[in-house]
Amino acid sequence: MIENGSRVTMEEITALAKRRGFIFPSSEIYGGIGGFFDYGPLGAVLKRNVKDAWWRETVELRDDVVAFDSSIVMHPSTWVASGHVAAFHDKLVDCRNCKHRFRADHLSSLAKCPDCGMTGSLTEPRNFNLMMTTNVGPLEDSASLTYLRPETAQGIFVNFKNIYQSARKKPPFGVAQIGKSFRNEITPGNFTFRVREFEQAELEYFVPDDGHDLECYERWVVARKQWYSDYGIKPERLRFYELTEQERPHYARAGTDVEYLFPWGWGELESIAHRGTYDLDAHMKLSGKDLSFFDEATRAKYTPLLIESSAGMDRTTLTMLIDAYDNETIVDEGGKESKRTVLRFHPKIAPVQTGIFPLARNKPDLVERAQALERALRPHVRTQYDEGNVGQLYRRQDEIGTPFCIMVDYQTIDDGTVTVRHRDSMKQDRVGGDALAGYLAERL
Ligand code: GAP
């Protein structure tokens, strides 16, 4: 039995995401389309912050990883070499009675349809390729047929030589990219967890076959653990599951799934794998082109081994939302109890970092002062100006996870100080106008 380590339900998360503008069903006015979602004004910023956090640690703060951005549509032979055309399948089962479709591995038995309950109505499992197809050019024939990439990694493999020669890199070094991938999932579900269009952040790290490859793989597992910890994911809801030899593909020397305890149970966020020379070998074989590495210094030619870390950015964004969610009882000075919903985002991830309000919306001097302060802070932190009932302003910012709120009041007009309220503790500090930027920078 999987324990439910999260108190929030998916209904609560979905409702909050819609109400506050994090995530909407795609093309909702036409009834939506299964497995596709849109990120609203706050969700788009949240996801960008998640991607930026990955990019910063994986690329910008390292001297051994270079950036890449390949096309979504690639030559169809790419997917023959990678094995996706032949083997990127799920087993599909249809119910002859209610016409619903299921992934065979999601069913506990093939005897009875889990939706309509009819016995003997399910078809035999058959292979269903998960790649989405498209046609390139004006003719819709088999010659123009190609695919939307189901992973970003292949764009890096087919460019391996272009990249190492132009960047003057020598293994060990990595190539990173963030981009859209598409999979025609049979049963999309659990909100943005299993979707048909999603973003992956993939690192392909090439190492020489000199006996240190497993150490390098371990270092990446540690680095990824650190990343989740740095951005505040609760350690008791995160696990690094090491795949057994039977669970790994035959060519993989090691593999770890990073999993989070979602409200419905454990789900994969990322896979880290030691893939040997499988991918470069496969492209060399089919293309007939040399993708091995030539070391000018030693005059040695070899095919590097590959360590891959592949994280889903939509799943990570959803994790940030769920993990940050808290619904707590607060007691005011008069002993009155009330509830508040608060998203305890890491300050670097929070879509809005500072909310700025005037104490009264009908006092032009307070309004002008608050708006001027918001404009002054905007180049430095992600700000939002708002006005209205003070209690409601704080509740709204709590619900979108804003770490700090600044109140401009009558004292501000006299001495330039403002009240800074902390999201998590709800404590308030009085901060001098000149000290404010430094105060925020220190805490954000
Ligand atoms: N290049 C390796 C690769 O693609 P994967 O385990 O198939 O490996 C990596 O995918 C990550 O991509 C997953 O851990 C998950 O976070 C994300 N992902 C895969 N399929 C997804 C889907 N249908 N919806 C959302 N994210 C998905």
Side-chain angles (χ1 to χ4, degrees):
M1 217 354 231
I2 293 167
E3 71 172 297
N4 183 347
S6 174
R7 286 161 299 162
V8 65
T9 64
M10 285 314 290
E11 288 71 30
E12 284 167 318
I13 284 290
T14 311
L16 173 74
K18 173 93 195 282
R19 186 170 67 248
R20 292 299 184 201
F22 285 98
I23 303 169
F24 310 125
S26 169
S27 7
E28 200 180 9
I29 60 165
Y30 294 107
I33 170 167
F36 297 89
F37 287 90
D38 296 333
Y39 287 82
L42 291 178
V45 181
L46 177 66
K47 188 175 171 191
R48 175 166 293 277
N49 295 344
V50 170
K51 291 192 288 184
D52 286 351
W54 185 91
W55 191 257
R56 181 108 185 108
E57 305 289 334
T58 313
V59 186
E60 288 176 359
L61 293 178
R62 303 184 63 108
D63 62 1
D64 59 345
V65 176
V66 295
F68 203 63
D69 187 358
S70 61
S71 61
I72 286 172
V73 174
M74 298 174 66
H75 192 286
S77 294
T78 308
W79 310 108
V80 176
S82 69
H84 284 83
V85 169
F88 195 49
H89 294 131
D90 272 343
K91 294 269 184 215
L92 172 103
V93 165
D94 283 299
C95 173
R96 294 187 194 90
N97 182 48
C98 71
K99 312 290 179 215
H100 282 169
R101 290 197 147 168
F102 309 95
R103 258 175 69 172
D105 61 336
H106 285 178
L107 298 176
S108 53
S109 136
L110 291 176
K112 184 175 171 180
C113 173
D115 270 10
C116 70
M118 184 172 278
T119 307
S121 65
L122 297 180
T123 59
E124 283 298 307
R126 60 191 167 85
N127 283 339
F128 175 76
N129 194 295
L130 297 182
M131 279 195 295
M132 285 200 194
T133 55
T134 188
N135 290 86
V136 173
L139 292 177
E140 280 195 22
D141 57 15
S142 59
S144 70
L145 180 84
T146 188
Y147 307 93
L148 303 187
R149 67 180 176 201
E151 60 174 17
T152 70
Q154 299 299 329
I156 295 176
F157 303 146
V158 301
N159 276 288
F160 176 66
K161 199 165 191 172
N162 284 336
I163 297 170
Y164 86 71
Q165 286 184 339
S166 60
R168 294 180 296 117
K169 285 287 178 197
K170 166 180 171 167
F173 80 97
V175 186
Q177 85 167 312
I178 298 181
K180 292 263 186 179
S181 293
F182 299 81
R183 297 183 189 179
N184 204 2
E185 297 284 353
I186 297 169
T187 44
N190 286 329
F191 201 26
T192 53
F193 180 81
R194 189 174 307 286
V195 284
R196 291 175 167 139
E197 173 178 339
F198 52 97
E199 269 183 281
Q200 290 182 310
E202 299 203 284
L203 167 82
E204 310 300 331
Y205 199 83
F206 300 94
V207 296
D209 194 356
D210 60 1
H212 295 291
D213 48 311
L214 280 169
E215 285 161 39
C216 178
Y217 159 82
E218 289 296 342
R219 274 201 300 278
W220 274 109
V221 173
V222 170
R224 296 301 299 144
K225 267 189 190 151
Q226 190 61 47
W227 188 87
Y228 289 101
S229 156
D230 287 349
Y231 290 96
I233 299 297
K234 295 183 181 63
E236 66 276 17
R237 294 184 191 165
L238 196 68
R239 73 179 182 196
F240 282 65
Y241 174 75
E242 199 161 336
L243 302 179
T244 62
E245 205 177 332
Q246 289 71 39
E247 288 167 322
R248 309 193 293 257
H250 63 94
Y251 50 80
R253 295 191 193 169
T256 297
D257 283 349
V258 183
E259 297 181 337
Y260 180 75
L261 186 55
F262 288 99
W264 65 85
W266 292 98
E268 181 191 307
L269 294 183
E270 168 173 354
S271 70
I272 307 170
H274 182 319
R275 297 177 57 90
T277 59
Y278 178 84
D279 304 281
L280 290 178
D281 282 345
H283 287 297
M284 284 198 275
K285 196 166 165 214
L286 190 67
S287 69
K289 299 286 182 330
D290 186 9
L291 295 176
S292 59
F293 178 77
F294 180 66
D295 190 332
E296 300 279 353
T298 62
R299 315 299 293 167
K301 193 173 149 178
Y302 64 91
T303 307
L305 304 172
L306 175 74
I307 315 292
E308 173 182 74
S309 141
S310 174
M313 293 291 96
D314 303 80
R315 287 186 185 179
T316 310
T317 302
L318 179 62
T319 299
M320 295 286 179
L321 257 180
I322 292 174
D323 205 61
Y325 187 96
D326 197 4
N327 199 338
E328 65 174 13
T329 304
I330 49 176
V331 185
D332 69 13
E333 282 155 9
K336 201 171 143 236
E337 281 192 3
S338 61
K339 288 264 183 202
R340 75 162 180 153
T341 298
V342 53
L343 293 181
R344 300 189 194 279
F345 286 133
H346 186 285
K348 286 213 170 84
I349 297 293
V352 178
Q353 295 174 306
T354 313
I356 298 137
F357 332 121
L359 181 65
R361 56 155 48 127
N362 58 355
K363 300 285 177 204
D365 46 351
L366 295 185
V367 168
E368 276 163 30
R369 192 68 181 248
Q371 287 176 340
L373 181 60
E374 192 271 335
R375 279 196 301 276
L377 288 174
R378 202 185 299 161
H380 311 289
V381 293
R382 291 185 290 275
T383 55
Q384 190 174 76
Y385 171 84
D386 204 354
E387 50 187 42
N389 172 286
V390 173
Q392 281 171 2
L393 288 171
Y394 285 150
R395 290 292 168 277
R396 197 179 302 151
Q397 294 298 328
D398 285 345
E399 234 193 20
I400 65 170
T402 306
F404 297 101
C405 288
I406 297 173
M407 184 63 75
V408 169
D409 54 22
Y410 299 107
Q411 197 183 328
T412 313
I413 308 292
D414 289 343
D415 63 10
T417 62
V418 291
T419 300
V420 180
R421 180 223 190 227
H422 296 227
R423 173 194 70 200
D424 293 340
S425 63
M426 294 189 291
K427 291 215 169 75
Q428 304 196 356
D429 289 336
R430 196 80 202 171
V431 182
D434 294 344
L436 188 60
Y439 178 97
L440 290 174
E442 219 173 88
R443 289 161 179 83
L444 292 169

